[in-house]
Amino acid sequence: MMLLRVRGLMKSFGPNEVLRGIDLDVATGERIAILGASGSGKSTLLRCLNFMEMPSAGSIEFGGKLLGEERRPGERVYVERELTSVRQRIGMVFQQFNLFPHMTASGNVMEGLRTVRGMKVAEARNRAMVELGRVGLADKADSYPAHLSGGQKQRVAIARALAMDPQMLLFDEPTSALDPELVGEVLGVVRALADEGRTMLLVTHELGFAFHVATRVIFLADGTIHEQGPPEQVLKAPTQERTRAFLARHREFSL
Amino acid sequence: MSRIILPQALKRMTPALTNRAIEIFKMSTLASTVAYVELLQQGKLIASLNFNPIEAYTTVAVIFFVFLWPLVQMTYALERRLKRDE
């Protein structure tokens, strides 16, 4: 089943066209790694998918439902209620974690359950403990984000995303803000989620991780999908010149 | 709003607001310049009537201390509580 169907997605910030027509189908259970140079629109693409940025043009279908309404040709209008329901079903993990600094780890995980789902505190707390346990942080439930390491913060952020039972998870460079020795613990958690068969879109610069975990790799350049395919093909035998150049730059300093 | 923005905003505002409150309390002595007889002015009157400046002004000082010291301690406690997430 197609979970997500994106057609002709465009996004510009003033005169700056970031996305210039993205067509993307994501089936349930697919794990897609999105690669690309900085400024190629990777983050913007993810942010458009859960409407943290409003697409300038194009359509997004999620869970079999075409979102928004075309009131005038080429211009879609989105209703806040519909977007809230979509955002509830799409979990997002940010590069900078974006935990609520005034709440404990469990408070962060419980927040969505309590305010959006209207869950009772005790029930939400139980759920939060399950999710924190899954990312290996049950003992840090009462710690504030300032007292956690970067890797721990990111794992709390993943637990927070999981608590809402999302149908799709978006990871926006989840390990880019981490010290190298902390990257592993976060990738381990993401990999465990991949093994559960969750649908995920992952923007990353960890080519090795993308190779082992993704079912499909997308290379973005100039706001369009420049090349896509199975990881073996895109990462080992790219057909496009720019993909090759990008990969070569990445490997320049690797062992 | 009330669960995300306000707690973080309050945390930043509290030290400034409590400082200001204490300052205003102390500045109440300036009210005598507009002919309002506040605590210090009252002490001055008593001292000049009874020729006992030491006792009068000491009493005024004690009264100020009794009000302000607990107030300051309360603001410290409040700030410590707000800082527990740091």
Side-chain angles (χ1 to χ4, degrees):
Chain A
M1 181 202 134
M2 278 305 157
L3 182 62
L4 179 76
R5 196 189 297 271
V6 179
R7 286 291 173 270
L9 182 69
M10 304 221 220
K11 173 69 188 176
S12 39
F13 297 97
N16 181 17
E17 287 186 346
V18 181
L19 299 178
R20 307 172 193 231
I22 301 270
D23 295 322
L24 177 65
D25 287 331
V26 181
T28 306
E30 264 196 294
R31 301 182 292 277
I32 300 179
I34 302 171
L35 309 179
S38 58
S40 59
K42 309 181 295 284
S43 297
T44 308
L45 172 59
L46 284 199
R47 294 173 69 88
C48 281
L49 294 184
N50 71 351
F51 297 94
M52 297 175 94
E53 300 286 357
M54 288 300 166
S56 308
S59 64
I60 298 176
E61 199 182 305
F62 184 73
K65 190 171 181 304
L66 189 59
L67 304 175
E69 215 181 294
E70 194 162 22
R71 299 245 169 103
R72 267 178 291 170
E75 195 187 315
R76 300 194 78 79
V77 181
Y78 297 94
V79 189
E80 199 57 38
R81 256 185 60 193
E82 187 179 39
L83 297 188
T84 307
S85 121
V86 171
R87 288 179 186 129
Q88 275 187 57
R89 288 177 285 149
I90 301 181
M92 177 101 179
V93 177
F94 302 90
Q95 184 174 0
Q96 298 295 338
F97 328 132
N98 294 6
L99 294 178
F100 302 120
H102 62 294
M103 293 180 185
T104 60
S106 59
N108 268 279
V109 180
M110 286 158 67
E111 189 56 32
L113 298 172
R114 288 186 57 197
T115 54
V116 181
R117 291 268 175 85
M119 223 183 241
K120 293 268 186 311
V121 176
E123 199 185 343
R125 169 119 190 139
N126 285 341
R127 182 63 205 269
M129 293 313 291
V130 171
E131 297 302 342
L132 285 172
R134 195 207 290 260
V135 298
L137 286 175
D139 56 327
K140 296 283 185 192
D142 295 318
S143 300
Y144 284 95
H147 302 144
L148 298 173
S149 74
Q152 291 170 333
K153 277 189 240 186
Q154 192 59 296
R155 287 188 282 152
V156 171
I158 292 173
R160 178 174 66 178
L162 289 177
M164 299 297 285
D165 294 317
Q167 289 171 282
M168 182 168 79
L169 281 165
L170 308 177
F171 292 89
D172 188 1
E173 300 192 31
T175 59
S176 296
L178 300 177
D179 290 340
E181 68 263 37
L182 300 178
V183 168
E185 62 187 65
V186 172
L187 292 185
V189 169
V190 178
R191 163 151 226 165
L193 297 175
D195 292 341
E196 287 173 21
R198 286 178 188 268
T199 313
M200 49 175 85
L201 269 73
L202 174 83
V203 171
T204 185
H205 292 295
E206 306 280 338
L207 296 186
F209 185 73
F211 183 79
H212 289 292
V213 168
T215 54
R216 175 155 49 126
V217 174
I218 289 177
F219 178 71
L220 280 187
D222 295 332
T224 56
I225 294 180
H226 203 62
E227 180 164 4
Q228 62 174 316
E232 288 80 14
Q233 186 247 306
V234 178
L235 294 172
K236 293 225 159 133
T239 58
Q240 302 290 321
E241 187 49 46
R242 295 194 56 175
T243 318
R244 271 199 286 270
F246 173 82
L247 293 174
R249 269 201 306 285
H250 254 272
R251 286 183 184 138
E252 200 172 350
F253 292 109
S254 65
L255 291 171
Chain B
M1 175 68 198
S2 65
R3 292 186 51 81
I4 307 294
I5 306 291
L6 199 61
Q8 297 184 69
L10 269 180
K11 189 185 156 196
R12 288 176 177 221
M13 289 173 343
T14 307
L17 291 178
T18 51
N19 264 343
R20 196 84 185 124
I22 292 165
E23 206 181 313
I24 286 172
F25 190 94
K26 293 186 200 166
M27 284 206 297
S28 66
T29 54
L30 294 177
S32 61
T33 59
V34 288
Y36 180 78
V37 182
E38 38 65 51
L39 189 58
L40 183 61
Q41 187 66 16
Q42 192 69 58
K44 207 192 259 174
L45 290 176
I46 291 169
S48 54
L49 276 177
N50 303 322
F51 308 107
N52 58 351
I54 306 277
E55 291 88 336
Y57 286 131
T58 307
T59 311
V60 169
V62 167
I63 293 172
F64 265 100
F65 184 80
V66 163
F67 275 99
L68 283 171
W69 194 77
L71 190 61
V72 171
Q73 294 309 311
M74 270 161 57
T75 66
Y76 284 166
L78 184 64
E79 279 167 35
R80 259 200 308 279
R81 200 185 128 75
L82 288 171
K83 273 202 183 127
R84 77 202 147 146
D85 64 350
E86 274 175 14

